[in-house]
Structures are given as C-alpha cells and as structure tokens.
Amino acid sequence: MSSDQLVDFESFRGSWLEDIKKDNPSTVELGRRFALKLISQWLDMSETASDIIYCDGSGDGGIDIALLDTGPDEVTDDSATSGHTWYLIQSKYGSAFAGTGTLLIEGQKVIDTLDGRRSKLNSLAEGLLDRLNNFRNGAGAGDKIVLVYATERPLNDDEKRVLGDLRAMGTVRLGSLFDVEAISIETVYARLQEIEMSAGSLRLEVELKGDLVPSGPDLLVGSVGLLDLYGFLRSYRDVTGDLDRIYEKNVRRFLGGRGKVNKAMHATLRDAPERFGLYNNGITIVVQAYEPGEKNVRLVEPFIVNGCQTTRTIWEVFHNKLSSGGTGVNPETEAWRKRAAQGVVVAKIAKVGEAGETLLQAITRYTNSQNAIKEKDFLALTSDFKTWQTHLADSYDLYLEIQRGGWDSQKALQNTNPKTKQFSKHANAADLVKVYGAGWLGEVGLAFGKNPPFLPDGSVFKRIVNEAETDGGPFGAVDLYAAYLLQQATVSMGFGRGAPKASRRQTRYVFAMVVIDLLKDVLSRANRPLSLRNVSADLVRVLEHQDAKSSLLDQAAEVVDGYLTQGSDDSVFQEPAYLNSFNSDLNAFLKWEKLGKSETDTPRLRNALAINKAVMGKTIGGVSSRDTILGAIGSA
C-alpha cells in the first residue's frame, strides 16, 4: 500500500469492528468474535482452525478462548525444532477492560486456574485444564503457555508494567514456560502499514548496545554482546508489545519462525555461551535511520532480516534463564550469566531510509543466500502474490488479502476515499491456497490439519507453484479465482464450523476434493484436457452457470453426507483405517495425509465417488448432470 493510500488508525479500527458488531450479538458472542478475529490475524491463521476451545462464561477460570499452536510442521533444517505454545486468550473489548485493575484481577484468576487453586470450573475449562496439566508435565525447552490479553487499543505504560508483574508472578508459580502478551487492533494495523507511520506520529526507536563502527555512510558492523542483544529484544517487545513485528521483513517469518528453535544454537547458548560468536554467522538489522552514541546506537524502525532463528533462539534461552522469577540467588544461573556476558553475535546494521523497500528486499535476499531459501520463496513474498492481487482485482473485481487484516484496511480506504477502487468481494490468499491444495492436489488431510505445507517453502506450496510444465502452465490468478468460487460454494452449501448438518462441520476440504474429482470425471469422459490449469478454467465456467453449479455441487454434497452418515453402505465409520489405525477418532482420521488418495487407503470413499459418478450420467428428462456441466463449459 503506497503512502498516499495509508489509512489512519481510527478509520481502520472502525472497519475492523464492522463484522464484530454485525447482527447485534450478545455480550459473550461479541467478546468471542473480537478475540477470535484478533488472535487469528496476530497468528496469521484461519478463524476456522479446528483446535480452538471456547471456555467463556461462568466458571471459565479466566480463559475465554484457548488454542494450541504446534508451530511449523515442516522444518528443513535438521538442527531446528518447533516448540508448542498454548495461547490462553482473555477478550477485553470495550467496557470489559478497565485498565490495570482488570489486568491484575483477570491475570491472577488464570494463574490460580493453572496452579490448581480454582474449583467450580465449567466442563470445557476442566477439560482444557487437564490438557494444560499434561502439557506442563511433558513440556520441552521451547514449549510455552502464554496468557494473551486482546484489547481494542494498545496498553499504556502503567498497564505494560502490570504485565511485567504478572510475568514474574506466573513464572514463580508455574515455571519459565509461562509468559504474558498483549495484542490490540493497533498490533494488526501496525503490521499492515509496515510501520510507515503517518504524519505526526512517533517513530519507533530502540537502543542497542554494542561495539559497532561505520563502514561507509549507511552501514555499521561489529559485535553485540548476547546479554545486550537480549536486552534489545526485550526493550523492543516492551515498546511494541509484539516481538514478532521485528521479523516482518524476514522471509523466514512466513515459514513459522514464531516457534522454531535451533537445537545446535540452543546447546551452545546453554553449555558454552562464551563461544557463540565463533560458531554463528551473525545477524543483519535494517533500519530507517540510526543515531550512534558513545556506548550504544539508537535504531529507528529496526527489522531483523537475517538471523530470525539466531535471535529467536537467544530470546528463548535467555528468557528461560533470566526471567524465571524468584528473589534469591541461584549460583548456577549466576555462573552461566558470567559466561554469557563474554558471548557475542556478529552484527550488521544497514540504513535503508524511509523509502528503501527495493534496497531492503535486496539485503534480505543476499543475506539469506547461505540458507536453504529458494528463489521462489522471495518471489512469493515480493512479486507473485502482488501480481496475482492485481490480476484478480482487474479481471474479477476480487480483493486478494495477502496478510490477514488487509481487507479491513482496504474497507477503511474505500470508506475514506471514494475514488479508490471499490471491492465487494475479498478472499485471503493463504485460505485459497489451502482450498486449491485440497481440491486440485487432493491434500485433504493436510489442509484440515496443518498450515505450513501450504505456505512458501512448504511441500504443497512448492508443488502448486513449481510444476508448471506438467500442470499446463504456471499457477496464476485464474486458479486462485477458481479456488475462491469453490470456497464460496463450500460456504453456501453449509460446510464449516457450526454447520447445521453434522456431516458438514469438519468436511469442507473433503467437499472441495470431491467437487474437483467429480468434475475431472466429467471432463475425462468428454475427452477434455485434465491439466490443472484447464480444470481451473472449466470450474470457473461451471460455478458461474447456475444449473451446472447445482448439478455439480449437489452431487458432491451427496457424496460427503453419505460418507459421514452412520449405517450407510460407504460410510467413513466403516473405513478400515478409521477402525484399525485411528481407533474411531474421526478428527484424527480427517487429518490423515492419505485420506481420499487411493482405493487402498479409503475404499469406502472411493466407492462412493464411483457410484455418484455413474449417477451423474443418468438422464432425467433427456439431460444428465454431465450434459448440464459440459453445456456450461461449451467448446472453450
């Protein structure tokens, strides 16, 4: 978004809250909508994610919503592991938030719940507490339980200090895995604006202590002590409330950097921190400007573009060691601190100016060249999605949301600037990639259970964008638009969380796969090409034709409903793998990577598809469903 299109925060906030307030929800539902939307955009996940637990109400133990983030499932570096994080969210929208008192009272309530000091919990909170206790008992070094306050506006300095008190209280009683965060609508707004502050607002400035010297007019090089780097990261989080914001310009962030910890670095920091600088390649920070002092340098709008894993691992180790609470002296910790004080990390600080996006991208590209980051990763982040966004806008009047919250910003822009292009349709890019992966590539279980395979550098994403020759050409806007139409059809057919029919609550990706499978059968019988590009173009024609759309979608829904019905001939409850491998756990079975892929893996589903394909060839009034679908496609 160019600087002349930036919207002010109040306009963004108004647009952001529109769907929260829609249809005058109850107080409980209002708080739930607010927290779910905010946490979803903060973690960049779909609001329809399966592992969301609602506890809000009487006996909730101070927890409105809980979710488990298992981090990236695809880690290309063998020395990297992914920590798991439980987020316990308190929704503090509007009058539910009354300053420091609210934070203290509600925070104490959550800590008491986790510490087993609260009784009379509701059944949902009791079930969650059992899972949290099991999690604590088996927690690894990178695992966390994070209390998250979701507020309308950012906390002030007094309220931030209360968060520090709660962290100390929680770590004393629960251990170093406990942490506290605060997010607000401004958190999302700041990310979307890429910290390009509007006129009159303050610049983000954080001090970094280190031995740094000039190397030319726009570069500082040298070393930073490990303790000083940890202090810098802590100051950044205190100022912004959002440590992840410092990685916004780093390609690695899109691979799930939030929970990734490098085992080799972790071992060095734990056992020989004084040697860290000998083994590590260092970090690169880009800034809008810097102001050197005698012993430190003031960084304006800093972003870490190389060293995401390095700084994240330093943060995890030092946070666990030095922020665990307690008023006494631990000799072991003090001995470690003295060794850590001798450790350094090599650092470069590059000044790119206020309009240095091109230079910033080049620095990001070349400083990451030693890592396993492919050219396509950068294209996806810097050009492909932006190109597809333009094509979808020009050809289909569809706004492609590249980062969650972008649609709220676009709505605010449309409201404040009537001359800008007015969109009524929108879709999130990550959601469309998952629909496409499930439907076109048959990755139903992965789509239902995981996100990383569908993000840049993920296995499914690579298949989507890299196999142009066998797919009939490069993946593009038509494919995304076809996925959008299929996504909308899925909603219109009543699939998804809270669906009236139980058979449709967990099967939206199964439905997408069935739609494409049935369509490909129709195309095959008519000797039409079956490359992925042709399937996308033909699906668009079908879903834009009412009779053909009904013929295809109704038959697909019939397959799914029958498959999820107890007692039917081809029921999921009779699948051998469901009974023998998954012990009749439907949720786990629907996340199975082999779901729907072959007759050997899911014979009941494949048989149901075969029967319904035959049904589509039967004529009623001289016309079959196949004829109707092919008629919509025509001779194109």
Side-chain angles (χ1 to χ4, degrees), residues 254-306:
F254 291 83
L255 311 184
R258 173 184 301 276
K260 189 180 292 186
V261 177
N262 187 289
K263 291 186 291 186
M265 283 193 284
H266 191 282
T268 300
L269 289 167
R270 184 188 63 235
D271 302 328
E274 69 277 10
R275 299 180 185 172
F276 188 81
L278 299 174
Y279 304 150
N280 186 262
N281 289 330
I283 66 173
T284 301
I285 304 174
V286 297
V287 297
Q288 188 181 105
Y290 55 70
E291 300 170 7
E294 289 186 13
K295 296 182 179 180
N296 56 36
V297 57
R298 181 173 293 274
L299 306 183
V300 179
E301 306 295 354
F303 292 100
I304 296 173
V305 298
N306 178 249

Side-chain angles (χ1 to χ4, degrees), residues 103 192 545:
L103 298 176
L192 288 170
H545 185 286

Side-chain angles (χ1 to χ4, degrees), residues 12-22 34 37 93 152 185 408:
F12 176 80
R13 186 179 67 87
S15 295
W16 194 96
L17 289 169
E18 285 178 3
D19 54 344
I20 302 296
K21 301 176 180 178
K22 187 177 180 181
F34 176 81
K37 180 172 181 178
Y93 171 62
E152 192 172 348
I185 300 175
D408 297 304

